[in-house]
Amino acid sequence: MTLLRSALFNLLFFGLTGLCCLVGLLLLPFPRRVLRRYVQHWARLMLWLLRVVCGIGLRVTGRENLPAGPAVIAAKHQSAYDTIVWFALLPEPVYVLKRELLRIPAWGWLARHYGAVAVDRRGGAAALKGMVRQAGQALAAGDQIVIFPEGTRTAPGTRVPYQPGVVALAAASGAPVVPAATDSGLYWGRRAFAKQPGLITVAILPPLPPGLPRAQLLQQLETAIETETDRLVAAAGDPCAGATPVDNSVGQVAGHSSERVQ
């Protein structure tokens, strides 16, 4: 049954995403905010499909740790799920993504108009400066930057070195850095076809103290994210026996310390 549900979800996910991209091209002449609201509705639709088809719900803790204005959300990256969920959780989310994604027809055009911050991972210091400049402009406009400091998806229980881009961005912008942990990889695994039913947790942690030296900021960021991620993974136990989510809508994820979204 899990495989059948996963196949159905994949069919709907790719089919509807492709259709939404084509329809979204009609919004390119309109202001960026219009496209952003459209993308946020797409994200909520995908989360709804994931719940209905695969039985995967969402619980968010620590929403009170999000600043009211611009911020850098340094998020754990275990799954493709993480590239969707922040569209639904933040008012003005902007992802940092690899530049190659902008070359995808239709999707890349929409991402560019949306304001996504692209980075050339092989471009060295010049690429880092370009990313900081783009992200700084987005922060100045009141956006929330979502960056994955690992630079790639990592399976639960594994670690890779954190990249310095997040601390360079924090130092240049002065925006608060908010760590975020998750156990999403237990249910939507990296390169895994099957999606296991259960309850994904996204834990938003307190912002790091401002003014930290770069090395100390990176160390504290990694410690906060990895410690909470390990706790979430250990608490989840068997993903096939995950807790049953309660029936809330994605639109209700706001202003509570612990919420469940289905």
Side-chain angles (χ1 to χ4, degrees):
M1 182 62 71
T2 296
L3 292 178
L4 288 177
R5 289 186 172 191
S6 299
L8 177 58
F9 174 79
N10 285 348
L11 179 64
L12 292 172
F13 175 80
F14 289 109
L16 289 174
T17 297
L19 178 61
C20 286
C21 284
L22 293 177
V23 174
L25 294 178
L26 300 175
L27 301 179
L28 291 179
F30 291 89
R32 178 172 293 174
R33 190 174 296 271
V34 175
L35 180 59
R36 287 190 177 181
R37 299 299 167 260
Y38 178 76
V39 172
Q40 287 176 311
H41 284 303
W42 164 83
R44 294 185 178 105
L45 174 61
M46 294 303 108
L47 295 180
W48 179 81
L49 282 175
L50 196 63
R51 173 182 62 85
V52 171
V53 177
C54 297
I56 299 177
L58 168 64
R59 177 179 62 183
V60 181
T61 64
R63 278 301 295 260
E64 70 278 5
N65 293 320
L66 285 174
V72 177
I73 312 300
K76 181 69 177 177
H77 193 17
Q78 291 186 344
S79 167
Y81 182 90
D82 311 318
T83 65
I84 301 171
V85 69
W86 292 103
F87 283 124
L89 297 182
L90 299 173
E92 296 293 341
V94 173
Y95 279 86
V96 176
L97 47 80
K98 57 185 179 181
R99 189 178 64 178
E100 294 88 336
L101 294 176
L102 297 184
R103 299 171 185 161
I104 300 175
W107 191 97
W109 306 335
L110 293 174
R112 191 182 301 275
H113 184 65
Y114 180 96
V117 176
V119 59
D120 182 359
R121 296 189 295 184
R122 294 170 291 184
L128 181 60
K129 290 180 180 179
M131 183 274 288
V132 169
R133 182 177 63 255
Q134 291 181 65
Q137 292 171 352
L139 289 167
D143 300 336
Q144 299 86 39
I145 300 296
V146 180
I147 185 170
F148 301 122
E150 297 157 291
T152 187
R153 287 173 291 174
T154 58
T158 63
R159 295 192 183 189
V160 298
Y162 277 40
Q163 303 300 311
V166 62
V167 294
L169 176 55
S173 67
V177 178
V178 181
T182 189
D183 57 4
S184 59
L186 294 175
Y187 308 95
W188 185 339
R190 184 174 186 261
R191 298 194 181 100
F193 174 80
K195 294 163 182 63
Q196 304 295 338
L199 186 65
I200 290 176
T201 298
V202 173
I204 303 169
L205 306 174
L208 297 181
L212 291 174
R214 293 193 181 194
Q216 187 176 354
L217 175 61
L218 192 61
Q219 181 182 26
Q220 289 195 20
L221 180 67
E222 182 173 354
T223 298
I225 294 175
E226 295 300 330
T227 299
E228 180 63 13
T229 295
D230 289 345
R231 189 192 69 80
L232 293 176
V233 170
D238 181 2
C240 295
T244 302
V246 298
D247 187 12
N248 292 328
S249 70
V250 173
Q252 292 175 310
V253 183
H256 295 81
S257 60
S258 179
E259 298 158 324
R260 293 188 181 188
V261 181
Q262 191 161 341

